[in-house]
Amino acid sequence: MTTEDAIENIIGRFGFYQTWVLFLIAIGRVPADFQLTNVVYILPKVDYVCLDEGSPNMTNYCPCKNPEYETSTIVESVVTTWNLICGSSHLASLAQSVLQIGILTGSLLYGYLSDRYGRKTSILMALTTDVVFVVASALVPNFWMFLVLRFLIGTSVGGTLICSYTLMVELSGKSFRPYLPGLTQIAYATVSIVHPIIAYYVREWRYLQLVTSLPCVFVISYNWLMLESPRWLITVGKKKEAIDVLTKIAKWNKRPTENIASIIYAAEEHKTNKEEPKYGSYLDLFSTPKMKMYSLIIACVWFCCGNTFYGINQYIGRLQGNFYLNIFLFGVFHIPPLFFNVLVSLYIKRKIGVIGSFSISAIALIIFIYIPSDLEYLSLAFAILGHIGSNMAFGQMYLFTSEVFPTVVRNSALGFASMFSRFGGFVAPFVVNIGIEWISVAIFSGVTLIAAFFCFFLPDTKDKVLLNTIEQAEKLTDDK
């Protein structure tokens, strides 16, 4: 890695144009983040009294054909609409997990599309399909159609998350990248706070789906004003288009526009590998020894990260106390990690920051196991602390992964990593539903420690210019 970045010299570390794109992406991510957090509202654990003739007067009796659901918290959910109880209760877990399968598929699909056809095209496609699938999911007449649309929503969510993050990384100078783990998570933190407030007033899942899809309609119209990533254009050999884009961005940022072409062509002359493929693929992630090692490590770390993050996120709805207040407080405590991640990324090496965040999560969850059940607020506090740690690690891993892999396969690498995160998210509901609380929490704690261990074998990338080619990545060393 070098320390001189020609693109940063042209458009600046982070100017008006990058701020505008960050705003568009933040608004555009809102519907996707609503789908990530809505599982506790549309697929909750619901109590009922069985009204079958001859059934005992007890809560949650099985088998039951005529349940009377408790509706004081949630009036109508997917569970109550299609009676996903008793012998059909596993379908509720499946509905939770199928979103993760969709995100997994979308991460792979959009990772390839973004590296092949560009960041802007992929983002617009993901945003448009997201709003279509979410609205359709609110109108379907049967569970299996809902399940299919839940999967399709996941593909759009996966594409939105990885493509938008990659674009922001490639538009930012190396001195500004440490702020991205905080800035790019503003949408998720905001949704985590706003969602329980909306859900408190909109307690029927179909209407909740429709309400939370509205921001996407707004942003799709404005996202056409975005420009393509100049780093991607240069990497695939479209230098003329890249120069045009850089000139427009420089004007937006009130930067000098003279000599942009000469700067770009001069920078390209320093490439040592003229045979580098113009378009990357998933096979390139395993094309060299170091790329293969980094890919396998990243896969393991992201699996562990996704398993703990989404597992705790689903578990919070089962804690003692007020349902909506617990989730609201949980959302409020998504704000501190935004600032912590910026500070960690600015002043601490990438590996140390990620390992420390995983360790905070693991220790908090271990302590949680030993807290008496009657200490509701103390239990909630350590559950939140465990989630803060996993949230911080997740945010930092987006930045860390995007810096380890070069531009030619950056989106594919994030898609590949996100795929394993979704494997972890897919497993999470089944871990939560084990039925023995301490075992579930111990599993989440254990996988975070495994992730921390594997991070030791990644190179540190703090204060380095983004790599463009696989050859540059192969030469990357872990500076001591």
Side-chain angles (χ1 to χ4, degrees):
M1 278 186 164
T2 62
T3 57
E4 190 69 21
D5 187 350
I7 291 179
E8 181 179 359
N9 291 338
I10 294 171
I11 65 176
R13 61 198 291 264
F14 203 87
F16 181 78
Y17 176 75
Q18 290 96 324
T19 304
W20 167 246
V21 172
L22 177 64
F23 169 75
L24 291 179
I25 287 175
I27 301 297
R29 269 195 52 168
V30 165
D33 288 326
F34 272 128
Q35 295 306 307
L36 289 174
T37 58
N38 72 359
V39 65
V40 294
Y41 310 109
I42 70 172
L43 288 159
K45 184 179 182 296
V46 183
D47 292 327
Y48 63 90
V49 174
C50 187
L51 301 181
D52 289 357
E53 184 177 350
S55 64
N57 185 21
M58 59 185 295
T59 303
N60 301 339
Y61 175 78
C62 286
C64 182
K65 294 182 178 179
N66 299 293
E68 182 179 75
Y69 293 104
E70 192 278 321
T71 58
S72 63
T73 302
I74 296 175
V75 174
E76 184 185 9
S77 67
V78 172
V79 175
T80 61
T81 298
W82 290 299
N83 293 327
L84 305 183
I85 58 173
C86 298
S88 299
S89 60
H90 66 283
L91 295 178
S93 294
L94 178 61
Q96 295 176 32
S97 295
V98 79
L99 178 73
Q100 299 295 335
I101 299 175
I103 298 175
L104 180 158
T105 305
S107 299
L108 289 174
L109 174 64
Y110 281 95
Y112 170 77
L113 292 175
S114 183
D115 282 339
R116 187 69 177 81
Y117 300 106
R119 312 322 192 197
K120 177 182 176 179
T121 301
S122 301
I123 291 173
L124 288 171
M125 185 186 301
L127 291 174
T128 304
T129 55
D130 185 39
V131 68
V132 171
F133 296 145
V134 171
V135 170
S137 73
L139 305 176
V140 293
N142 64 66
F143 174 73
W144 297 107
M145 291 179 68
F146 170 79
L147 207 62
V148 170
L149 284 163
R150 187 82 171 151
F151 169 81
L152 294 175
I153 289 169
T155 61
S156 299
V157 170
T160 299
L161 296 181
I162 65 167
C163 295
S164 60
Y165 189 84
T166 300
L167 180 62
M168 287 311 308
V169 168
E170 293 179 352
L171 285 174
S172 303
K174 70 178 188 299
S175 59
F176 194 84
R177 288 203 308 268
Y179 294 93
L180 294 181
L183 291 175
T184 56
Q185 291 300 312
I186 289 175
Y188 185 82
T190 303
V191 165
S192 298
I193 296 171
V194 173
H195 208 167
I197 298 174
I198 297 175
Y200 180 82
Y201 292 101
V202 184
R203 300 196 181 194
E204 298 181 31
W205 74 271
R206 293 184 189 273
Y207 294 119
L208 186 62
Q209 286 285 81
L210 293 173
V211 169
T212 55
S213 68
L214 293 177
C216 208
V217 179
F218 161 80
V219 81
I220 288 171
S221 60
Y222 282 93
N223 261 327
W224 290 104
L225 298 175
M226 282 198 314
L227 301 173
E228 185 54 82
S229 165
R231 293 184 193 274
W232 178 81
L233 290 170
I234 291 172
T235 300
V236 299
K238 298 181 178 181
K239 296 184 182 65
K240 184 179 183 302
E241 292 92 331
I243 292 168
D244 291 340
V245 168
L246 288 169
T247 302
K248 291 177 182 178
I249 297 175
K251 289 179 179 178
W252 274 61
N253 291 347
K254 301 188 185 308
R255 304 273 299 184
T257 57
E258 301 83 7
N259 304 319
I260 290 179
S262 59
I263 293 173
I264 293 301
Y265 283 110
E268 289 297 291
E269 286 298 316
H270 288 87
K271 283 187 176 180
T272 58
N273 184 6
K274 302 298 183 181
E275 304 299 323
E276 184 69 34
K278 290 185 176 181
Y279 299 99
S281 71
Y282 288 107
L283 293 178
D284 291 320
L285 297 177
F286 299 91
S287 61
T288 65
K290 280 192 176 181
M291 291 289 286
K292 186 184 301 181
M293 181 182 71
Y294 296 157
S295 297
L296 293 175
I297 291 173
I298 288 294
C300 180
V301 173
W302 278 66
F303 173 88
C304 297
C305 200
N307 183 256
T308 302
F309 181 84
Y310 292 109
I312 301 174
N313 204 39
Q314 294 170 29
Y315 189 80
I316 199 71
R318 302 190 176 194
L319 293 176
Q320 298 295 319
N322 183 280
F323 176 79
Y324 292 102
L325 179 60
N326 282 351
I327 299 174
F328 175 77
L329 292 174
F330 203 58
V332 169
F333 280 95
H334 278 83
I335 300 297
L338 303 184
F339 298 99
F340 294 156
N341 269 348
V342 170
L343 293 174
V344 167
S345 299
L346 278 172
Y347 301 111
I348 300 177
K349 288 190 173 183
R350 300 287 186 257
K351 284 200 297 189
I352 296 175
V354 172
I355 292 170
S357 299
F358 277 129
S359 300
I360 290 172
S361 180
I363 293 170
L365 293 177
I366 291 172
I367 295 174
F368 174 88
I369 294 174
Y370 295 97
I371 298 174
S373 59
D374 58 327
L375 298 177
E376 297 177 3
Y377 290 107
L378 189 61
S379 296
L380 180 62
F382 275 92
I384 288 173
L385 183 59
H387 196 265
I388 285 175
S390 64
N391 192 359
M392 288 178 60
F394 221 153
Q396 291 172 58
M397 282 307 301
Y398 268 97
L399 178 61
F400 200 1
T401 303
S402 65
E403 291 178 337
V404 168
F405 290 92
T407 300
V408 70
V409 291
R410 183 168 295 117
N411 232 81
S412 294
L414 278 172
F416 177 77
S418 184
M419 176 185 73
F420 281 89
S421 168
R422 306 314 155 183
F423 277 135
F426 175 84
V427 174
F430 298 98
V431 176
V432 172
N433 292 328
I434 285 175
I436 303 175
E437 181 181 89
W438 74 266
I439 292 180
S440 300
V441 178
I443 290 173
F444 292 137
S445 177
V447 296
T448 57
L449 292 175
I450 293 172
F453 171 76
F454 277 105
C455 285
F456 278 106
F457 301 98
L458 292 172
D460 201 86
T461 55
K462 186 177 185 298
D463 296 329
K464 306 295 184 180
V465 173
L466 291 177
L467 303 170
N468 281 333
T469 67
I470 292 175
E471 183 184 58
Q472 291 172 345
E474 192 65 15
K475 294 177 180 179
L476 179 60
T477 59
D478 194 3
D479 299 330
K480 302 297 182 182

